[in-house]
mmCIF file of all heavy atoms in Angstrom:
data_model
loop_
_atom_site.group_PDB
_atom_site.id
_atom_site.type_symbol
_atom_site.label_atom_id
_atom_site.label_comp_id
_atom_site.label_asym_id
_atom_site.label_seq_id
_atom_site.Cartn_x
_atom_site.Cartn_y
_atom_site.Cartn_z
ATOM 1 N N ILE A 554 -0.035 -14.263 -12.025
ATOM 2 C CA ILE A 554 -1.088 -15.202 -12.414
ATOM 3 C C ILE A 554 -2.448 -14.510 -12.417
ATOM 4 O O ILE A 554 -3.117 -14.433 -13.447
ATOM 5 C CB ILE A 554 -1.102 -16.444 -11.495
ATOM 6 C CG1 ILE A 554 0.217 -17.210 -11.601
ATOM 7 C CG2 ILE A 554 -2.275 -17.364 -11.885
ATOM 8 C CD1 ILE A 554 0.322 -18.411 -10.669
ATOM 9 N N VAL A 555 -2.870 -13.988 -11.268
ATOM 10 C CA VAL A 555 -4.148 -13.273 -11.207
ATOM 11 C C VAL A 555 -4.095 -12.046 -12.111
ATOM 12 O O VAL A 555 -5.031 -11.759 -12.855
ATOM 13 C CB VAL A 555 -4.485 -12.868 -9.755
ATOM 14 C CG1 VAL A 555 -5.761 -12.028 -9.714
ATOM 15 C CG2 VAL A 555 -4.640 -14.115 -8.880
ATOM 16 N N GLY A 556 -2.979 -11.310 -12.062
ATOM 17 C CA GLY A 556 -2.772 -10.198 -12.983
ATOM 18 C C GLY A 556 -2.907 -8.834 -12.345
ATOM 19 O O GLY A 556 -3.713 -8.616 -11.447
ATOM 20 N N ARG A 557 -2.094 -7.907 -12.818
ATOM 21 C CA ARG A 557 -2.068 -6.537 -12.310
ATOM 22 C C ARG A 557 -3.082 -5.675 -13.071
ATOM 23 O O ARG A 557 -3.234 -5.800 -14.275
ATOM 24 C CB ARG A 557 -0.647 -5.987 -12.490
ATOM 25 C CG ARG A 557 -0.429 -4.563 -12.069
ATOM 26 C CD ARG A 557 1.065 -4.248 -12.087
ATOM 27 N NE ARG A 557 1.692 -4.588 -13.358
ATOM 28 C CZ ARG A 557 1.775 -3.757 -14.397
ATOM 29 N NH1 ARG A 557 1.265 -2.540 -14.314
ATOM 30 N NH2 ARG A 557 2.369 -4.126 -15.512
ATOM 31 N N ILE A 558 -3.769 -4.804 -12.349
ATOM 32 C CA ILE A 558 -4.687 -3.859 -12.984
ATOM 33 C C ILE A 558 -3.877 -2.857 -13.803
ATOM 34 O O ILE A 558 -2.880 -2.317 -13.326
ATOM 35 C CB ILE A 558 -5.526 -3.117 -11.918
ATOM 36 C CG1 ILE A 558 -6.465 -4.096 -11.202
ATOM 37 C CG2 ILE A 558 -6.345 -1.999 -12.552
ATOM 38 C CD1 ILE A 558 -7.214 -3.474 -10.032
ATOM 39 N N LYS A 559 -4.295 -2.607 -15.030
ATOM 40 C CA LYS A 559 -3.599 -1.661 -15.885
ATOM 41 C C LYS A 559 -3.586 -0.280 -15.248
ATOM 42 O O LYS A 559 -4.618 0.230 -14.811
ATOM 43 C CB LYS A 559 -4.281 -1.604 -17.250
ATOM 44 C CG LYS A 559 -3.550 -0.734 -18.262
ATOM 45 C CD LYS A 559 -4.248 -0.751 -19.616
ATOM 46 C CE LYS A 559 -3.519 0.113 -20.623
ATOM 47 N NZ LYS A 559 -4.182 0.120 -21.955
ATOM 48 N N GLY A 560 -2.405 0.314 -15.194
ATOM 49 C CA GLY A 560 -2.260 1.626 -14.592
ATOM 50 C C GLY A 560 -1.613 1.605 -13.228
ATOM 51 O O GLY A 560 -1.173 2.638 -12.733
ATOM 52 N N VAL A 561 -1.553 0.419 -12.608
ATOM 53 C CA VAL A 561 -0.893 0.275 -11.304
ATOM 54 C C VAL A 561 0.522 -0.239 -11.535
ATOM 55 O O VAL A 561 0.712 -1.340 -12.047
ATOM 56 C CB VAL A 561 -1.665 -0.702 -10.383
ATOM 57 C CG1 VAL A 561 -0.909 -0.915 -9.085
ATOM 58 C CG2 VAL A 561 -3.061 -0.173 -10.105
ATOM 59 N N ASP A 562 1.516 0.549 -11.171
ATOM 60 C CA ASP A 562 2.906 0.145 -11.375
ATOM 61 C C ASP A 562 3.321 -0.988 -10.441
ATOM 62 O O ASP A 562 3.967 -1.942 -10.852
ATOM 63 C CB ASP A 562 3.843 1.346 -11.150
ATOM 64 C CG ASP A 562 3.693 2.409 -12.227
ATOM 65 O OD1 ASP A 562 3.203 2.066 -13.319
ATOM 66 O OD2 ASP A 562 4.050 3.562 -11.971
ATOM 67 N N ARG A 563 2.959 -0.868 -9.163
ATOM 68 C CA ARG A 563 3.352 -1.865 -8.158
ATOM 69 C C ARG A 563 2.183 -2.172 -7.224
ATOM 70 O O ARG A 563 1.838 -1.343 -6.374
ATOM 71 C CB ARG A 563 4.520 -1.328 -7.311
ATOM 72 C CG ARG A 563 5.841 -1.177 -8.057
ATOM 73 C CD ARG A 563 6.577 -2.490 -8.173
ATOM 74 N NE ARG A 563 7.879 -2.298 -8.785
ATOM 75 C CZ ARG A 563 9.012 -2.092 -8.099
ATOM 76 N NH1 ARG A 563 8.973 -2.020 -6.774
ATOM 77 N NH2 ARG A 563 10.158 -1.925 -8.731
ATOM 78 N N PRO A 564 1.522 -3.316 -7.359
ATOM 79 C CA PRO A 564 0.532 -3.694 -6.351
ATOM 80 C C PRO A 564 1.180 -3.730 -4.977
ATOM 81 O O PRO A 564 2.381 -4.008 -4.845
ATOM 82 C CB PRO A 564 0.097 -5.097 -6.809
ATOM 83 C CG PRO A 564 0.323 -5.083 -8.290
ATOM 84 C CD PRO A 564 1.593 -4.283 -8.472
ATOM 85 N N ALA A 565 0.408 -3.448 -3.952
ATOM 86 C CA ALA A 565 0.943 -3.360 -2.595
ATOM 87 C C ALA A 565 0.105 -4.170 -1.627
ATOM 88 O O ALA A 565 -1.078 -4.446 -1.873
ATOM 89 C CB ALA A 565 0.998 -1.900 -2.145
ATOM 90 N N LEU A 566 0.732 -4.554 -0.523
ATOM 91 C CA LEU A 566 0.063 -5.303 0.525
ATOM 92 C C LEU A 566 -0.419 -4.321 1.584
ATOM 93 O O LEU A 566 0.376 -3.571 2.157
ATOM 94 C CB LEU A 566 1.048 -6.306 1.133
ATOM 95 C CG LEU A 566 0.501 -7.505 1.906
ATOM 96 C CD1 LEU A 566 -0.419 -8.342 1.031
ATOM 97 C CD2 LEU A 566 1.664 -8.359 2.415
ATOM 98 N N ALA A 567 -1.728 -4.307 1.830
ATOM 99 C CA ALA A 567 -2.319 -3.348 2.764
ATOM 100 C C ALA A 567 -3.133 -4.072 3.824
ATOM 101 O O ALA A 567 -3.752 -5.103 3.563
ATOM 102 C CB ALA A 567 -3.217 -2.365 2.010
ATOM 103 N N SER A 568 -3.136 -3.512 5.026
ATOM 104 C CA SER A 568 -3.915 -4.088 6.111
ATOM 105 C C SER A 568 -4.503 -2.980 6.968
ATOM 106 O O SER A 568 -3.973 -1.869 7.019
ATOM 107 C CB SER A 568 -3.032 -4.994 6.976
ATOM 108 O OG SER A 568 -3.802 -5.647 7.976
ATOM 109 N N ALA A 569 -5.608 -3.274 7.627
ATOM 110 C CA ALA A 569 -6.203 -2.327 8.571
ATOM 111 C C ALA A 569 -5.643 -2.623 9.962
ATOM 112 O O ALA A 569 -5.718 -3.756 10.445
ATOM 113 C CB ALA A 569 -7.722 -2.459 8.574
ATOM 114 N N LEU A 570 -5.066 -1.616 10.595
ATOM 115 C CA LEU A 570 -4.531 -1.738 11.948
ATOM 116 C C LEU A 570 -5.380 -0.908 12.908
ATOM 117 O O LEU A 570 -6.004 0.079 12.497
ATOM 118 C CB LEU A 570 -3.080 -1.258 12.003
ATOM 119 C CG LEU A 570 -2.042 -2.039 11.196
ATOM 120 C CD1 LEU A 570 -0.634 -1.528 11.535
ATOM 121 C CD2 LEU A 570 -2.124 -3.527 11.445
ATOM 122 N N PRO A 571 -5.411 -1.279 14.188
ATOM 123 C CA PRO A 571 -6.230 -0.535 15.150
ATOM 124 C C PRO A 571 -5.692 0.868 15.398
ATOM 125 O O PRO A 571 -4.489 1.092 15.413
ATOM 126 C CB PRO A 571 -6.152 -1.395 16.419
ATOM 127 C CG PRO A 571 -4.888 -2.158 16.282
ATOM 128 C CD PRO A 571 -4.747 -2.441 14.818
ATOM 129 N N SER A 572 -6.614 1.797 15.581
ATOM 130 C CA SER A 572 -6.265 3.174 15.905
ATOM 131 C C SER A 572 -6.785 3.481 17.306
ATOM 132 O O SER A 572 -7.966 3.270 17.595
ATOM 133 C CB SER A 572 -6.905 4.129 14.886
ATOM 134 O OG SER A 572 -6.664 5.471 15.225
ATOM 135 N N PHE A 573 -5.922 3.943 18.185
ATOM 136 C CA PHE A 573 -6.296 4.180 19.577
ATOM 137 C C PHE A 573 -6.512 5.665 19.868
ATOM 138 O O PHE A 573 -6.411 6.115 21.000
ATOM 139 C CB PHE A 573 -5.224 3.607 20.503
ATOM 140 C CG PHE A 573 -5.102 2.118 20.389
ATOM 141 C CD1 PHE A 573 -4.108 1.546 19.594
ATOM 142 C CD2 PHE A 573 -5.988 1.281 21.025
ATOM 143 C CE1 PHE A 573 -3.995 0.170 19.461
ATOM 144 C CE2 PHE A 573 -5.884 -0.101 20.900
ATOM 145 C CZ PHE A 573 -4.884 -0.659 20.118
ATOM 146 N N GLY A 574 -6.824 6.422 18.858
ATOM 147 C CA GLY A 574 -7.118 7.836 19.001
ATOM 148 C C GLY A 574 -7.676 8.331 17.686
ATOM 149 O O GLY A 574 -7.719 7.616 16.689
ATOM 150 N N GLY A 575 -8.130 9.569 17.646
ATOM 151 C CA GLY A 575 -8.661 10.087 16.407
ATOM 152 C C GLY A 575 -10.094 9.663 16.175
ATOM 153 O O GLY A 575 -10.715 8.984 16.990
ATOM 154 N N PRO A 576 -10.648 9.996 15.016
ATOM 155 C CA PRO A 576 -12.070 9.779 14.757
ATOM 156 C C PRO A 576 -12.458 8.366 14.323
ATOM 157 O O PRO A 576 -13.642 8.031 14.326
ATOM 158 C CB PRO A 576 -12.359 10.777 13.633
ATOM 159 C CG PRO A 576 -11.058 10.885 12.897
ATOM 160 C CD PRO A 576 -9.992 10.766 13.949
ATOM 161 N N ASN A 577 -11.481 7.516 13.941
ATOM 162 C CA ASN A 577 -11.801 6.185 13.408
ATOM 163 C C ASN A 577 -11.134 5.078 14.208
ATOM 164 O O ASN A 577 -10.129 5.297 14.888
ATOM 165 C CB ASN A 577 -11.370 6.100 11.938
ATOM 166 C CG ASN A 577 -12.044 7.165 11.085
ATOM 167 O OD1 ASN A 577 -13.270 7.202 10.975
ATOM 168 N ND2 ASN A 577 -11.260 8.051 10.486
ATOM 169 N N ASP A 578 -11.720 3.866 14.130
ATOM 170 C CA ASP A 578 -11.237 2.730 14.915
ATOM 171 C C ASP A 578 -9.994 2.080 14.307
ATOM 172 O O ASP A 578 -9.290 1.342 14.990
ATOM 173 C CB ASP A 578 -12.334 1.668 15.052
ATOM 174 C CG ASP A 578 -13.518 2.170 15.862
ATOM 175 O OD1 ASP A 578 -13.314 3.055 16.708
ATOM 176 O OD2 ASP A 578 -14.644 1.677 15.626
ATOM 177 N N SER A 579 -9.765 2.308 13.023
ATOM 178 C CA SER A 579 -8.629 1.657 12.365
ATOM 179 C C SER A 579 -8.123 2.527 11.226
ATOM 180 O O SER A 579 -8.769 3.493 10.812
ATOM 181 C CB SER A 579 -9.032 0.274 11.844
ATOM 182 O OG SER A 579 -10.126 0.367 10.962
ATOM 183 N N PHE A 580 -6.950 2.153 10.709
ATOM 184 C CA PHE A 580 -6.359 2.867 9.581
ATOM 185 C C PHE A 580 -5.722 1.878 8.628
ATOM 186 O O PHE A 580 -5.428 0.730 8.999
ATOM 187 C CB PHE A 580 -5.326 3.897 10.065
ATOM 188 C CG PHE A 580 -4.073 3.291 10.661
ATOM 189 C CD1 PHE A 580 -2.938 3.115 9.879
ATOM 190 C CD2 PHE A 580 -4.029 2.900 11.991
ATOM 191 C CE1 PHE A 580 -1.782 2.556 10.411
ATOM 192 C CE2 PHE A 580 -2.882 2.344 12.534
ATOM 193 C CZ PHE A 580 -1.753 2.173 11.743
ATOM 194 N N VAL A 581 -5.495 2.306 7.387
ATOM 195 C CA VAL A 581 -4.865 1.462 6.374
ATOM 196 C C VAL A 581 -3.356 1.672 6.420
ATOM 197 O O VAL A 581 -2.880 2.803 6.425
ATOM 198 C CB VAL A 581 -5.378 1.822 4.960
ATOM 199 C CG1 VAL A 581 -4.679 0.953 3.909
ATOM 200 C CG2 VAL A 581 -6.882 1.651 4.877
ATOM 201 N N PHE A 582 -2.614 0.562 6.461
ATOM 202 C CA PHE A 582 -1.150 0.612 6.483
ATOM 203 C C PHE A 582 -0.633 -0.161 5.276
ATOM 204 O O PHE A 582 -0.959 -1.326 5.089
ATOM 205 C CB PHE A 582 -0.637 0.002 7.784
ATOM 206 C CG PHE A 582 0.838 0.203 8.038
ATOM 207 C CD1 PHE A 582 1.534 1.262 7.490
ATOM 208 C CD2 PHE A 582 1.527 -0.679 8.863
ATOM 209 C CE1 PHE A 582 2.886 1.452 7.740
ATOM 210 C CE2 PHE A 582 2.878 -0.508 9.134
ATOM 211 C CZ PHE A 582 3.564 0.562 8.569
ATOM 212 N N MET A 583 0.177 0.485 4.428
ATOM 213 C CA MET A 583 0.710 -0.144 3.226
ATOM 214 C C MET A 583 1.975 0.608 2.774
ATOM 215 O O MET A 583 2.138 1.778 3.111
ATOM 216 C CB MET A 583 -0.331 -0.130 2.106
ATOM 217 C CG MET A 583 -0.740 1.277 1.657
ATOM 218 S SD MET A 583 -2.103 1.316 0.488
ATOM 219 C CE MET A 583 -1.379 0.594 -0.965
ATOM 220 N N ASP A 584 2.906 -0.083 2.179
ATOM 221 C CA ASP A 584 3.030 -1.454 1.764
ATOM 222 C C ASP A 584 3.653 -2.262 2.914
ATOM 223 O O ASP A 584 4.576 -1.803 3.561
ATOM 224 C CB ASP A 584 3.894 -1.505 0.497
ATOM 225 C CG ASP A 584 4.199 -2.882 -0.005
ATOM 226 O OD1 ASP A 584 3.426 -3.815 0.256
ATOM 227 O OD2 ASP A 584 5.228 -3.046 -0.672
ATOM 228 N N LEU A 585 3.185 -3.498 3.103
ATOM 229 C CA LEU A 585 3.648 -4.325 4.207
ATOM 230 C C LEU A 585 4.639 -5.397 3.760
ATOM 231 O O LEU A 585 4.856 -6.362 4.480
ATOM 232 C CB LEU A 585 2.449 -4.983 4.894
ATOM 233 C CG LEU A 585 1.413 -4.003 5.454
ATOM 234 C CD1 LEU A 585 0.279 -4.755 6.125
ATOM 235 C CD2 LEU A 585 2.061 -3.030 6.423
ATOM 236 N N GLY A 586 5.243 -5.224 2.592
ATOM 237 C CA GLY A 586 6.272 -6.167 2.174
ATOM 238 C C GLY A 586 6.165 -6.668 0.756
ATOM 239 O O GLY A 586 6.938 -7.541 0.353
ATOM 240 N N ALA A 587 5.226 -6.140 -0.016
ATOM 241 C CA ALA A 587 5.134 -6.588 -1.410
ATOM 242 C C ALA A 587 6.351 -6.151 -2.211
ATOM 243 O O ALA A 587 6.809 -6.851 -3.108
ATOM 244 C CB ALA A 587 3.865 -6.026 -2.060
ATOM 245 N N ASN A 588 6.896 -4.974 -1.865
ATOM 246 C CA ASN A 588 8.041 -4.417 -2.594
ATOM 247 C C ASN A 588 9.067 -3.909 -1.592
ATOM 248 O O ASN A 588 8.813 -2.927 -0.889
ATOM 249 C CB ASN A 588 7.583 -3.264 -3.488
ATOM 250 C CG ASN A 588 6.417 -3.649 -4.391
ATOM 251 O OD1 ASN A 588 6.590 -4.317 -5.387
ATOM 252 N ND2 ASN A 588 5.218 -3.236 -4.009
ATOM 253 N N ALA A 589 10.215 -4.555 -1.534
ATOM 254 C CA ALA A 589 11.239 -4.149 -0.571
ATOM 255 C C ALA A 589 11.803 -2.773 -0.894
ATOM 256 O O ALA A 589 12.183 -2.018 -0.002
ATOM 257 C CB ALA A 589 12.367 -5.179 -0.531
ATOM 258 N N GLU A 590 11.870 -2.446 -2.175
ATOM 259 C CA GLU A 590 12.373 -1.143 -2.603
ATOM 260 C C GLU A 590 11.309 -0.441 -3.441
ATOM 261 O O GLU A 590 10.634 -1.071 -4.242
ATOM 262 C CB GLU A 590 13.660 -1.298 -3.406
ATOM 263 C CG GLU A 590 14.812 -1.905 -2.615
ATOM 264 C CD GLU A 590 16.077 -2.026 -3.445
ATOM 265 O OE1 GLU A 590 16.037 -1.630 -4.625
ATOM 266 O OE2 GLU A 590 17.083 -2.510 -2.910
ATOM 267 N N ASN A 591 11.184 0.857 -3.236
ATOM 268 C CA ASN A 591 10.180 1.619 -3.970
ATOM 269 C C ASN A 591 10.747 2.915 -4.527
ATOM 270 O O ASN A 591 11.652 3.500 -3.948
ATOM 271 C CB ASN A 591 8.999 1.971 -3.047
ATOM 272 C CG ASN A 591 8.201 0.756 -2.637
ATOM 273 O OD1 ASN A 591 8.260 0.335 -1.489
ATOM 274 N ND2 ASN A 591 7.455 0.191 -3.561
ATOM 275 N N LYS A 592 10.170 3.356 -5.638
ATOM 276 C CA LYS A 592 10.448 4.678 -6.179
ATOM 277 C C LYS A 592 9.447 5.661 -5.562
ATOM 278 O O LYS A 592 8.392 5.256 -5.065
ATOM 279 C CB LYS A 592 10.292 4.671 -7.702
ATOM 280 C CG LYS A 592 11.294 3.791 -8.437
ATOM 281 C CD LYS A 592 11.032 3.839 -9.940
ATOM 282 C CE LYS A 592 12.025 2.969 -10.699
ATOM 283 N NZ LYS A 592 11.767 2.999 -12.161
ATOM 284 N N PRO A 593 9.752 6.954 -5.612
ATOM 285 C CA PRO A 593 8.802 7.936 -5.098
ATOM 286 C C PRO A 593 7.413 7.811 -5.724
ATOM 287 O O PRO A 593 6.393 7.953 -5.041
ATOM 288 C CB PRO A 593 9.454 9.273 -5.472
ATOM 289 C CG PRO A 593 10.915 8.980 -5.486
ATOM 290 C CD PRO A 593 11.030 7.588 -6.025
ATOM 291 N N SER A 594 7.365 7.522 -7.038
ATOM 292 C CA SER A 594 6.071 7.398 -7.708
ATOM 293 C C SER A 594 5.253 6.228 -7.173
ATOM 294 O O SER A 594 4.019 6.277 -7.155
ATOM 295 C CB SER A 594 6.259 7.256 -9.221
ATOM 296 O OG SER A 594 7.038 6.112 -9.528
ATOM 297 N N HIS A 595 5.935 5.155 -6.720
ATOM 298 C CA HIS A 595 5.214 4.021 -6.147
ATOM 299 C C HIS A 595 4.550 4.427 -4.833
ATOM 300 O O HIS A 595 3.375 4.093 -4.585
ATOM 301 C CB HIS A 595 6.167 2.843 -5.887
ATOM 302 C CG HIS A 595 6.837 2.337 -7.111
ATOM 303 N ND1 HIS A 595 8.071 1.721 -7.089
ATOM 304 C CD2 HIS A 595 6.463 2.352 -8.425
ATOM 305 C CE1 HIS A 595 8.415 1.383 -8.321
ATOM 306 N NE2 HIS A 595 7.463 1.760 -9.145
ATOM 307 N N LEU A 596 5.286 5.145 -3.980
ATOM 308 C CA LEU A 596 4.735 5.597 -2.708
ATOM 309 C C LEU A 596 3.562 6.548 -2.954
ATOM 310 O O LEU A 596 2.558 6.518 -2.236
ATOM 311 C CB LEU A 596 5.819 6.278 -1.874
ATOM 312 C CG LEU A 596 7.013 5.385 -1.491
ATOM 313 C CD1 LEU A 596 8.071 6.186 -0.745
ATOM 314 C CD2 LEU A 596 6.561 4.208 -0.636
ATOM 315 N N TYR A 597 3.697 7.375 -3.963
ATOM 316 C CA TYR A 597 2.621 8.285 -4.346
ATOM 317 C C TYR A 597 1.376 7.498 -4.757
ATOM 318 O O TYR A 597 0.248 7.815 -4.342
ATOM 319 C CB TYR A 597 3.113 9.175 -5.484
ATOM 320 C CG TYR A 597 2.053 10.042 -6.127
ATOM 321 C CD1 TYR A 597 1.638 11.222 -5.534
ATOM 322 C CD2 TYR A 597 1.492 9.668 -7.353
ATOM 323 C CE1 TYR A 597 0.675 12.023 -6.131
ATOM 324 C CE2 TYR A 597 0.532 10.463 -7.954
ATOM 325 C CZ TYR A 597 0.124 11.639 -7.344
ATOM 326 O OH TYR A 597 -0.824 12.411 -7.943
ATOM 327 N N GLN A 598 1.560 6.443 -5.557
ATOM 328 C CA GLN A 598 0.422 5.619 -5.967
ATOM 329 C C GLN A 598 -0.209 4.915 -4.774
ATOM 330 O O GLN A 598 -1.435 4.746 -4.724
ATOM 331 C CB GLN A 598 0.853 4.582 -7.006
ATOM 332 C CG GLN A 598 1.064 5.143 -8.393
ATOM 333 C CD GLN A 598 1.115 4.058 -9.464
ATOM 334 O OE1 GLN A 598 0.974 2.872 -9.180
ATOM 335 N NE2 GLN A 598 1.324 4.466 -10.696
#
């Protein structure tokens, strides 16, 4: 309905999770369930 951006094969669900070490307070974690199965190119994107 909203629509996929041209050039993106598989939109993904991403969230910021807390990081308890390293230089930053949080990190991006994706995909969180938008696509149960992925091709290597999807993970690359």
Side-chain angles (χ1 to χ4, degrees):
I554 298 177
V555 176
R557 178 170 52 89
I558 294 174
K559 185 178 180 180
V561 176
D562 292 339
R563 292 279 185 93
L566 200 58
S568 185
L570 296 188
S572 176
F573 296 98
N577 302 299
D578 294 333
S579 57
F580 68 96
V581 179
F582 190 26
M583 63 187 292
D584 176 26
L585 301 181
N588 308 283
E590 297 181 0
N591 292 108
K592 295 179 180 179
S594 59
H595 300 152
L596 298 176
Y597 172 80
Q598 284 196 1

